[in-house]
Every structure is written in structure tokens, then in C-alpha cells.
Amino acid sequence: MATNLKAVRGTRDLLPPETDLWQKAEATARSVFARYGFGEVRTPIMEDTQLFARGVGEETDIVSKEMYTWSDRDRFEKFALSKVWLADARSRYAEWTKNTQLIDEKSKADMVFRRPDGGVTLVSFVDKASNMAWRSLVSAIQAYRDTSGTTDVLGLLVYPEEIGSEGIPADIRNDHTVTIDGWPVRGNFFSTSQSLTLRPENTAGVVRAYIEHKLGETGQLQKLFYIGPQFRRERPQKGRYRQFYQIGAEVIGAPSSGSESPLRDAEVLEMLATLLNELGITDWTLQLNSVGSSSDRPRYVEALKAALQPVKAQLCADCQRRAETNPLRVLDCKVPEDQPIIATLPQIADYLDAESKAHFAAVLAALDACGVEYTLNPRLVRGLDYYTRTTFEFLMETGLGTQNALLGGGRYDGLSEMLGGPKAPGIGFAMGEDRLVLTLQALNAEAAAQKLDAYIAPMGEAQNPYALALAKELRTAGLRVDVGDGSFRLKKSFETADKVARRIVIVGEDEASTGVLTVKTFTSGEQTKVARAELISTLKTL
RNA sequence: GCGGCUAUAGUUCAGCGGCAGAACGCCGGUCUGUGGCACCGGAUGUCGUGGGUUCGAACCCCACUAGCCGCCCCA
């Protein structure tokens, strides 16, 4: 136990049997998603920092202080070095004939020059002079001699000469010197490093993939789900970790695919209700709101700011600050004294244009038709910049303490364009899997620790091979089987078997030679002799 | 990032300045091819890490780390 290596703060190991519950949650989600026509998408765990800055919003807490962001190493560009060197070499070796064909796949030489004296020089561009680089050039020379029959073949290794030692000051990085045959060559051989970020959420990554792979060109509505870890550098709390898991889905597509239809909003919400019900969670409430189109929202924020100005001083300290930084959050304030004032503030519903109003009404009508219950919450505003129109949360009574939002989501009609993609309206959600599992635990929905079908107990180490072969046969037949060890006393085998399996199969000297095995069922205490040929069917009966 | 509480056996916890403890679990025995029940026996361990006070620290003090709860914020 005493070790100084531990899971880092806010991260944790998930072990059996808890992982059974995770598998159950994920299996249920996959089954529901499949029935609604969703396919799985897996995006990288890290992305260009710009993706989140532009998608999620530079001013949100997530981006401004909760991301794991770092600068990737500078990347050596072989092509840049060869270009610079060639431009220089052309003036000095004007009479050389350039042949840019590579000699063969395996050789590491990049270019072949024919010299005026009739010989040949192979040139290899590398980021630093190493034994490996030199050896591969030598083998390239050898290969060239063998295949061409030319005997006069020389090698030239070209590299930025200051590189190869760490700690080069950043200000000279873009201006390296390459010295070849005593001539210095200057140029920029390194592309600047890229800022990378561990994904704090998955919607931006999915939309990026949608744009990158031109999924809009298919003309089809894209229904994608994901299950995976996300990362935020927050203070850990119950159900809140720095590496946390989300199950989410996105419906996105070109407008002609129907992606803007209120039917899609209602379908996603109805699917979520179904998913929660199938997981055995019934005490959820769906809170619903519309934050309007991308033009409604700024108009409302302005009106809210103006309305807050005269009453600000009467609000709690938090709200006075929010009135400046994030006026929408004032609506979320839970301080009782503030409620009368908040009630007088303008509501987003009054700032929706006709189109947004009609959209929202259509969503509600479809939900009514499906019998999905919801509560309108005009104060439900969501933190991320990309949300438009429908926004929602599913809240839980049990298990989560103050972190009672189990999942949330909304429509993001402008996100693709914010990321430089085509118009691609969409709606999606993300569910906190850590919180989902907590809720399932609170509901005592623990996946009943399924016992194995059989535990094979070899009597004496001589029976081990027979026992393992028998286990293999049973496992091939789809039975869940564990096998003990011949060194165990039979009593110990029974004790272990009773804990992990429904039946014990005893393999002693008699059993191995006659092929008739002793099988005991723990629940009934019944013990019988079973021929090996009938063992599988016996074990399959409950 | 801020505040409060906590950290002792595999687990849940007691001990709060003087021999490191209980329950459950684990291992062994009663019982050499028969589990659950019973009885008997055994091992549990840098008392989160590092420093300080003291004749003496699991206990008091300081720092750090981690967990829980709340704030901020959010799924």
C-alpha cells in the first residue's frame, strides 16, 4: 500500500465490480442509440486549442481556466530544410543535375545528384546528425551501387548544425545555420509548435470531424454518439473528476437534411427519456428552455444588462459580479432574497423572434404527442457560447447532492460556421457517466454480480492439464468458467467455488480416467455424476 | 481559485500524549474427496507524506498531498 505513486488528483481507477455497472450503463446506451439510428464516433482525446477557444467560447470558465493545455514540441520539416539547402546549392553546384527520384523505399536518401565528374552524390536531410541517420545513408549508398552499377557514389548528410542539443534559445530557433562543405546555409527548418488541449467536452471535436470529413456533402442527417473521457482542471467533488466520462450524441447535418427541424429536438429528448427509463432511473425531471437564435440572444443580454443596472446594488455579492461578467448567470441565482428582483427581470421568451418561437412551440407539441413530461424553465441558460434555441437539462433527485444535473444539452445551429465549416445546424447532449453510475448505485441498481456457470476443481496437480482443457471446451461453448489449481485442498476449492460460481465440477483421478465428472449445484446442494459429453447441457440449465 | 471537515489493517471504523485495537474479510485447524453454519488459532499496519514540540507523538503544532462537503462554475 505504501507507495508514492498514486492516481493523480481528480483521477481514479475503476475496478470490478464497479466496472460492471459502467458496462451496464454503456451497453444500455449503445442499445438505445442503435434503435434511434445513431452510429459511434471516436474523436481524438486531444485537439488544437483553437477548436475549444472558438467553439466553446474564449470567455467561458472551461476555456479560460479549466483546460489542460500545453505546447507541443517544435516539428522538424525535412522539406523546408531541403528547399533552403537546394536554393543555396543551386548556385554553388550549378552544374549538378538534380534527380529527385528516391532510390528505393527503404533507403533514407532524399535526393540524388549527378556530379560533373560523372560520379553520384546521395543527399539525406535529417533534423540532427545521428549514427542511425549516417548508417541509413551508408546503406542507401550501398544499395545504389548494387542496383545502378555505379561505383563512384558519395553521401552527404544535411542537418541544421545547432540542433541536436537541447536548450536552444527560442529567439534563434527560426534562424538556423546549416554548414555544408564549409558553407553556411540559413533558414527556418522548424514549424512553430502547436498548442494542444485535452478535450474538455466532445461536441466541438465531433463538429470538427463533421467538417473535416465533409459529412455535410453526404446530404444525409448525421446521428453520432460517443462514449469517452473528457478533461477539466476543476476542484474534485462528488461526481466531478478531472478525468470524467461522458456519454453523448449529436444530430447534425446540412439544412436540407432536416437538421433544423424541431422534430430532431423532440426526438433527442424522447430518446433520453427512454434511455433513463431503461436504466431504471425514473425520478428525473426535464427542464426546457429556448435561448433564441444567435441574433435573439445578444439582444436579450443587452436588455438584461440594462435592466440589472438600477437594481444591481440590491442583489447578492455574487450577482453583482455576474451582472458584469455573465448577466445570464444571475437568473440561476439561488439566494432567496434575490428572487423577487429576478422575477422582474426581462425573460428570454419575450425576445425570441417569430421563427424561434414557432420552433420552440413545435418541440413542445412533439413532446406532448410522445408523452414526455417536461418543465419550462425560462431561467435555464447554458454556459457554453454555442447554444442556440432549445436548451435542456435532466435533473436528478437521488444520489448527486448539489451536483444534481445528470445531463444537459441543446441546439447549436451556428457552431459549424464558428469553426469555419458549412452551415450545419445540430442538437446534442452530454451525460456525465460518473454521475450516472452514482445515480445507479443510489438506486441499488447494482448489476447483480453474475456468478460463473462453473468452477472446475482439479484434485491434484496431475489433473491440471485435463481441467484446463475442460475449461477451454466449456468456454468455447459460451459458458462462463473459472478453473482452480490441483494444489488446492478440496475444501478450499469448495469455498472458492461457492463464492464465484453456481456449480463446482470436480476433476479427480477417477473422473479424468472415466470421463464421468462430479457436479454439485450450490443452491440446491444436489450432487450428480455427469458424462463429459452431457456436461455442457447440464451446466447450461439453471 | 476560496472556505470547512477528514486521512489508523484488504474494508468500515474506534483509540486523541505512555504496549497498535474491534468488526467484517483473509489464511490455517477441528474435517487427508465436499461449500454455506459452528468452534479454535494466525497474520494483518512506514497510524497519508515531510518537518517541529516532548523523556515519549497515531494523538499537540506547521507545511504538503489526497478525499469528502460547500462556494465559483458546470454535464
Side-chain angles (χ1 to χ4, degrees):
Chain A
M1 173 195 160
T3 169
N4 42 15
L5 288 176
K6 297 192 287 194
V8 302
R9 178 164 215 199
T11 70
R12 59 189 178 143
D13 302 307
L14 298 170
L15 305 169
E18 192 187 355
T19 35
D20 292 346
L21 210 47
W22 286 72
Q23 287 187 10
K24 182 191 163 186
E26 291 172 18
T28 307
R30 284 173 188 277
S31 146
V32 171
F33 291 151
R35 271 179 275 147
Y36 285 75
F38 283 77
E40 184 177 7
V41 58
R42 298 193 190 191
T43 65
I45 239 165
M46 58 185 173
E47 298 270 5
D48 193 306
T49 304
Q50 276 304 306
L51 175 66
F52 304 116
R54 282 157 66 187
V56 176
E58 201 90 52
E59 297 308 317
T60 61
D61 273 29
I62 296 177
V63 173
S64 62
K65 57 189 194 202
E66 293 173 0
M67 294 205 303
Y68 282 99
T69 296
W70 72 96
S71 185
D72 200 15
R73 290 253 185 85
D74 282 358
R75 277 186 307 183
F76 169 66
E77 297 279 346
K78 182 184 263 193
F79 180 71
L81 175 57
S82 71
K83 216 167 106 182
V84 169
W85 185 78
L86 266 181
D88 190 75
R90 204 161 280 144
S91 58
R92 299 196 172 104
Y93 302 96
E95 65 277 29
W96 285 22
T97 312
K98 191 181 119 193
N99 174 355
T100 55
Q101 276 190 337
L102 294 182
I103 305 159
D104 67 53
E105 285 286 315
K106 280 178 211 149
S107 80
K108 292 292 191 291
D110 297 306
M111 288 180 180
V112 181
F113 286 89
R114 194 161 297 283
R115 302 196 305 271
D117 63 8
V120 162
T121 299
L122 303 186
V123 185
S124 190
F125 299 97
V126 294
D127 61 340
K128 60 182 172 187
S130 64
N131 283 338
M132 188 130 76
W134 183 245
R135 274 203 303 275
S136 82
L137 183 57
V138 167
S139 74
I141 292 167
Q142 197 60 54
Y144 191 85
R145 279 184 182 140
D146 292 349
T147 53
S148 69
T150 314
T151 50
D152 182 10
V153 184
L154 302 175
L156 189 56
L157 203 57
V158 182
Y159 56 93
E161 79 173 359
E162 303 95 330
I163 304 302
S165 60
E166 295 296 318
I168 301 157
D171 56 352
I172 66 159
R173 285 216 159 179
N174 290 338
D175 196 15
H176 300 298
T177 303
V178 184
T179 309
I180 304 295
D181 293 353
W183 288 308
V185 180
R186 302 185 76 78
N188 178 10
F189 316 121
F190 288 80
S191 65
T192 49
S193 63
Q194 193 180 15
S195 177
L196 300 180
T197 293
L198 292 178
R199 62 186 187 196
E201 57 100 52
N202 218 330
T203 300
V206 170
V207 174
R208 193 224 77 233
Y210 171 91
I211 296 167
E212 183 169 337
H213 301 289
K214 300 194 181 345
L215 298 182
E217 298 297 314
T218 63
Q220 301 301 306
L221 192 64
Q222 300 296 312
K223 291 174 138 184
L224 303 166
F225 78 88
Y226 57 84
I227 298 174
Q230 321 288 337
F231 303 85
R232 284 184 207 170
R233 202 174 179 292
E234 287 187 293
R235 186 76 149 197
Q237 265 181 53
K238 192 176 190 66
R240 168 188 275 188
Y241 300 92
R242 289 182 168 184
Q243 173 172 337
F244 58 104
Y245 296 80
Q246 284 189 331
I247 300 176
E250 316 291 345
V251 180
I252 185 173
S256 65
S257 68
S259 58
E260 223 163 352
S261 165
L263 176 73
R264 303 272 76 100
D265 305 40
E267 184 185 35
V268 165
L269 290 166
E270 186 273 310
M271 174 172 79
L272 284 167
T274 298
L275 173 55
L276 292 176
N277 290 340
E278 288 195 15
L279 284 166
I281 298 172
T282 50
D283 63 339
W284 50 265
T285 57
L286 165 58
Q287 300 226 330
L288 206 53
N289 191 25
S290 174
V291 295
S293 69
S294 49
S295 62
D296 297 337
R297 196 167 160 171
R299 276 196 298 128
Y300 173 64
V301 171
E302 278 315 305
L304 192 59
K305 266 189 184 166
L308 278 168
Q309 210 52 45
V311 297
K312 203 173 68 178
Q314 304 163 45
L315 294 170
C316 68
D318 281 337
C319 286
Q320 299 196 17
R321 181 178 44 74
R322 288 176 187 144
E324 298 301 325
T325 59
N326 195 351
L328 290 175
R329 304 291 328 171
V330 175
L331 301 177
D332 254 1
C333 180
K334 275 137 197 136
V335 177
E337 292 76 33
D338 288 0
Q339 300 309 312
I341 299 167
I342 293 170
T344 67
L345 295 172
Q347 300 215 334
I348 181 72
D350 301 323
Y351 287 80
L352 302 184
D353 60 26
E355 227 178 318
S356 292
K357 273 183 188 159
H359 182 97
F360 196 46
V363 173
L364 301 185
L367 286 177
D368 290 337
C370 295
V372 175
E373 289 181 25
Y374 55 85
T375 310
L376 293 182
N377 179 356
R379 297 186 188 174
L380 177 66
V381 288
R382 303 189 50 75
L384 310 189
D385 281 4
Y386 54 63
Y387 283 115
T388 55
R389 292 189 175 169
T390 313
T391 57
F392 57 87
E393 273 180 11
F394 281 74
L395 304 181
M396 298 302 310
E397 300 302 317
T398 44
L400 296 178
T402 53
Q403 313 292 320
N404 66 343
L406 176 63
L407 69 92
R411 181 163 273 286
Y412 44 85
D413 291 340
L415 178 55
S416 173
E417 288 149 292
M418 285 164 71
L419 298 177
K423 186 167 168 57
I427 181 164
F429 70 89
M431 167 159 37
E433 192 175 1
D434 304 80
R435 292 189 186 179
L436 174 62
V437 169
L438 273 178
T439 305
L440 293 176
Q441 281 168 345
L443 291 171
N444 268 331
E446 275 180 56
Q450 271 219 328
K451 287 198 165 183
L452 300 171
D453 294 310
Y455 182 92
I456 299 173
M459 296 303 302
E461 291 179 42
Q463 311 308 329
N464 276 350
Y466 182 94
L468 192 61
L470 181 62
K472 182 199 165 196
E473 187 184 325
L474 299 180
R475 287 163 173 163
T476 304
L479 290 162
R480 300 165 66 238
V481 170
D482 219 336
V483 60
D485 184 274
S487 67
F488 292 173
R489 289 175 308 107
L490 189 62
K491 178 182 162 63
K492 180 184 164 85
S493 291
F494 263 84
E495 285 169 352
T496 305
D498 192 26
K499 278 176 198 129
V500 302
R502 294 178 9 240
R503 288 193 175 89
I504 185 168
V505 177
I506 298 163
V507 179
E509 224 171 308
D510 294 351
E511 284 88 349
S513 57
T514 62
V516 179
L517 300 147
T518 304
V519 176
K520 183 161 185 174
T521 305
F522 287 117
T523 46
S524 62
E526 178 195 4
Q527 180 165 322
T528 53
K529 295 272 185 185
V530 179
R532 183 161 174 171
E534 290 155 26
L535 188 59
I536 290 170
S537 62
T538 303
L539 293 180
K540 279 190 175 171
T541 63
L542 298 174

